[in-house]
Amino acid sequence: MSHVLRILGIDPGLNRTGYGVIAVEGSRMSLVQAGVIRVPPGALAQRLRAILLGLTEVIVATSPQRVAIEKVFVNINAQATLLLGQARGAAICAAVAASLPVNEHSALRIKQAVVGYGGADKQQVQSMVQRLLALPQPPVQDAADALACAICDAHGTDGRAAASTRARRGAAAWRALGERLLRA
């Protein structure tokens, strides 16, 4: 009998924070719960509190063993990046308060793990999440992004195993090429 692992994926945002919990048993993944915490407008501190409390409710209701969250990317609008970082901090605090380990993944790695292409668009991610979890319809965008983060985490912490395999294959190909060139 194999162990079932529950992973909470989080797509943080100050207006909408997506979440998705998956159950992983061997190579099988299934949806436990997904949704969006709609953050009411108002003072920043109250918005961060809404994220913290909303995710705490999800953690209590679904009992995940670990959390996966997307890393912040720096964009042209520094103010937006700082605000997103604060929303992300509130999400991480919810996980840490529940004594859950937190794994961080780049958007590129998440898309590679789920779609196979780091430049995938939102609709491609939604479609692949639907297929990978055998859902009757695609999840809403923020929930799909959170589920994609959890799926990436389930595939081996940031896709490093796949990257390591590619690196070994690449190194072997270079060695073979070098040997052929030396013999010529």
Side-chain angles (χ1 to χ4, degrees):
M1 184 171 159
S2 62
H3 173 72
V4 177
L5 173 67
R6 285 188 175 199
I7 303 170
L8 166 60
I10 302 172
D11 179 38
L14 267 182
N15 296 320
R16 292 176 317 281
T17 291
Y19 67 89
V21 180
I22 61 171
V24 182
E25 186 173 5
S27 63
R28 291 183 30 238
M29 292 181 285
S30 60
L31 174 68
V32 174
Q33 182 179 328
V36 177
I37 297 166
R38 299 199 185 285
V39 182
L44 177 62
Q46 292 307 309
R47 295 169 82 189
L48 296 174
R49 181 177 187 272
I51 294 167
L52 178 70
L53 294 178
L55 288 172
T56 299
E57 287 178 16
V58 171
I59 290 167
V60 169
T62 62
S63 303
Q65 282 97 9
R66 70 183 190 223
V67 173
I69 190 166
E70 186 175 329
K71 287 181 182 176
V72 171
F73 63 92
V74 179
N75 63 32
I76 294 173
N77 185 340
Q79 181 66 20
T81 302
L82 287 171
L83 290 172
L84 178 59
Q86 290 175 321
R88 194 172 165 278
I92 290 171
C93 284
V96 171
S99 299
L100 296 173
V102 178
N103 295 323
E104 301 175 54
H105 305 286
S106 70
L108 176 74
R109 285 282 186 216
I110 293 168
K111 291 175 182 179
Q112 285 174 334
V114 174
V115 180
Y117 169 60
D121 64 30
K122 297 270 188 192
Q123 289 74 28
Q124 289 171 312
V125 171
Q126 281 178 295
S127 178
M128 282 307 296
V129 166
Q130 177 187 8
R131 288 184 185 150
L132 290 169
L133 298 177
L135 304 175
Q137 60 192 26
V140 296
Q141 194 170 49
D142 295 306
D145 289 346
L147 288 165
C149 193
I151 291 167
C152 175
D153 198 72
H155 282 167
T157 342
D158 213 18
R160 282 183 228 148
S164 174
T165 300
R166 284 192 300 274
R168 281 194 305 275
R169 288 181 187 153
W174 277 108
R175 275 194 304 278
L177 177 62
E179 289 171 5
R180 276 186 271 154
L181 290 173
L182 289 173
R183 281 185 288 210

